[in-house]
Amino acid sequence: MASQSEVIDRLRATFRSGVTFPEQFRMTQLQNLLYLVEENEQLIQDALHKDLHKPKFESVLSEIQITLNDLYFAMENLRTWMQPEYNIGKNLATRMDDCFIRREPLGVVLIIGAWNYPLHLILLPLVAAIAAGNCAILKPSEICQATEQLLAELIPKYLSQDCYAVLCGGAEDTKSLLKNKFDHIFYTGSQVVARSILLAAAPHLTPVTLELGGKSPCFIYGHIDIQKAAKRLCWSKFFNTGQSCVAPDYVLCTAQTRDALLPALRETLRTFYGPDPGASLDMGRIVTPHHWRRLMDMLEKSKGKVVIGGESREEDRYIAPTVLVDVQESDALMQEEIFGPILPILTIESLEEGIDYINRQEKPLALYVFSDETSVVTTVLNNTSSGGFCGNDGIVHMALPGLPFGGVGASGMGSYHGRWGFETFSHRRGCMNRSWLLERVNVLRYPPYSDYNLGWLRWATTFKKNSWGGCSVM
């Protein structure tokens, strides 16, 4: 088996040959990746069920179809994305010049996936890397071993082995991998590991995209259809057993809304998963015993009152959908992202108090507002900051390829999905081909210098509207 450095050297030699640059090559590789997903759908479902006990419905919706949709979107728009951009602002001095922006591939990129969505969180960045013309090394999460091994088996069968490679292994293997120079590192995971990624990238001045997480609030305020809100909240929170970076982490609402919401949550959970969620085929499991113990430790330390759920089984890593009330800002559940099927409810008395609470915390990856009052949704949107925002639903905003997906502040840096991923893995090269015309203007910049020439040159290079009968963009 080739060493890490040998694999990287092979991919770098391929990139320098220019084989990944043409549109046809990129399109062929995207088509082959599409075939990989379509022709192995059952194998993918089996691997995800083995790793996370994911039901077929969730595997198809959140792993397979979201990947296919991003592929369809990229293949449909690739030619447009690759075209030079000519809508560039000019002044009189550059009026006759050819000015444009080229999107060029970065080189050999490293994509490090996460365990909670072990297929789509590594294949969507790969779609973007291929579309942008890069070579890529994939490092799947070792926690989901069945999916990791499936990717290691399928990628070489469907994609060019000279351009794309899968490297498996644990944390020490990843540390070793990060000692190598890459042209971009794309990481999805925790804030703790992200800091290590940044430290490893710094000696090589390697640009980094970090897709992290955080405590994404669901703010329920004002007049609201409580039954609909309960259904959308339960689905987005307990989808994938709460192991989603964009899952609602906690609820903010008034005491009156909380009292109306609780019976609706009980009814919804019973409808979704039956009287015993542990027996439901639609309820997944916590990924490892370590992650299960972490969640149970948080739950045991909490001073909140469990009003729904709370049941658990260590032998099969089960935790029932659990809701707590009387939770304070200092509670154990509020100190870090929960990443499991545990939902604390915090009470506030006013819209302003809720917004102030959100703004006291680190900027979240997503922010959700449930309200029938448009003014409430707009007010929260205008007075907060988050990676993404969704009014009156949860999670679904990340499934639209036309929207950028990414964090801000502690929840990450950079974005992807659709065109945004293409831009992440591209260098925007500013280009100017100068004309030999208008030399009368150009001679103004040559020595010997004079105030007269300087005055004319300032006029010819200004972008102030109507300064020379034109405007800034031509």
Side-chain angles (χ1 to χ4, degrees), residues 13-142:
T14 301
F15 179 77
R16 288 173 177 164
S17 75
V19 70
T20 63
F21 292 17
E23 177 190 344
Q24 186 55 55
F25 177 86
R26 305 184 197 191
M27 189 66 75
T28 298
Q29 297 303 308
L30 291 172
Q31 184 68 64
N32 289 344
L33 187 56
L34 185 72
Y35 293 149
L36 182 155
V37 178
E38 289 180 337
E39 294 173 4
N40 296 280
E41 186 166 316
Q42 189 58 55
L43 290 175
I44 292 170
Q45 290 178 32
D46 293 344
L48 292 169
H49 189 270
K50 185 174 182 180
D51 287 330
L52 289 153
H53 203 268
K54 280 197 182 189
K56 174 183 175 181
F57 189 95
E58 293 188 2
S59 292
V60 171
L61 192 64
S62 66
E63 300 273 17
I64 294 170
Q65 195 58 45
I66 192 172
T67 303
L68 292 174
N69 287 343
D70 209 59
L71 279 161
Y72 298 145
F73 194 78
M75 293 168 69
E76 179 70 24
N77 292 284
L78 180 59
R79 177 166 294 179
T80 300
W81 295 347
M82 291 179 65
Q83 294 301 309
E85 181 181 340
Y86 286 96
N87 188 28
I88 308 300
K90 297 182 186 180
N91 51 37
L92 180 61
T94 57
R95 189 174 187 179
M96 304 301 294
D97 301 329
D98 189 17
C99 304
F100 57 95
I101 300 170
R102 279 168 52 99
R103 267 74 176 178
E104 298 183 347
L106 299 175
V108 178
V109 303
L110 172 63
I111 300 171
I112 305 174
W115 57 261
N116 56 324
Y117 292 94
L119 185 84
H120 108 237
L121 288 180
I122 202 159
L123 290 191
L124 260 65
L126 178 60
V127 171
I130 293 173
N134 298 279
C135 292
I137 289 180
L138 308 183
K139 172 58 184 71
S141 171
E142 70 279 7

Side-chain angles (χ1 to χ4, degrees), residues 178-357:
L178 286 166
K179 293 178 181 178
N180 296 279
K181 177 178 173 57
F182 293 96
D183 298 292
H184 195 93
I185 298 173
F186 190 106
Y187 168 75
T188 303
S190 71
Q191 296 174 0
V192 173
V193 176
R195 293 183 175 92
S196 299
I197 300 288
L198 285 173
L199 288 173
H204 302 294
L205 299 178
T206 300
V208 174
T209 299
L210 300 176
E211 298 295 341
L212 309 178
K215 298 184 74 63
S216 297
C218 180
F219 192 6
I220 304 176
Y221 194 83
H223 185 269
I224 185 75
D225 186 320
I226 208 71
Q227 296 297 329
K228 291 179 182 177
K231 290 176 182 177
R232 296 186 183 189
L233 174 60
C234 281
W235 180 81
S236 55
K237 172 61 181 179
F238 301 113
F239 190 92
N240 200 35
T241 325
Q243 298 170 116
S244 302
C245 57
V246 289
D249 191 87
Y250 61 95
V251 170
L252 282 176
C253 63
T254 64
Q256 182 181 5
T257 298
R258 177 202 61 197
D259 294 342
L261 180 64
L262 286 175
L265 290 176
R266 289 191 187 94
E267 179 185 346
T268 298
L269 288 170
R270 187 177 182 88
T271 301
F272 282 7
Y273 305 113
D276 178 13
S280 172
L281 297 177
D282 297 328
M283 174 58 64
R285 295 295 184 267
I286 306 305
V287 65
T288 69
H290 168 75
H291 291 82
W292 183 90
R293 285 191 293 270
R294 171 187 167 274
L295 288 167
M296 292 306 300
D297 183 59
M298 293 172 70
L299 192 57
E300 289 165 5
K301 289 180 178 178
S302 174
K303 298 293 194 292
K305 178 183 178 182
V306 175
V307 291
I308 298 175
E311 301 83 12
S312 63
R313 290 193 303 265
E314 186 171 8
E315 60 270 21
D316 66 345
R317 310 184 309 280
Y318 167 69
I319 298 177
T322 299
V323 180
L324 297 91
V325 297
D326 301 332
V327 177
Q328 303 300 316
E329 187 174 355
S330 60
D331 194 86
L333 288 171
M334 301 307 296
Q335 304 313 303
E336 60 181 295
E337 185 177 6
I338 294 171
F339 225 69
I342 301 169
L343 181 64
I345 299 179
L346 287 75
T347 55
I348 46 88
E349 294 184 359
S350 67
L351 181 63
E352 293 73 22
E353 184 184 350
I355 291 173
D356 182 64
Y357 181 91

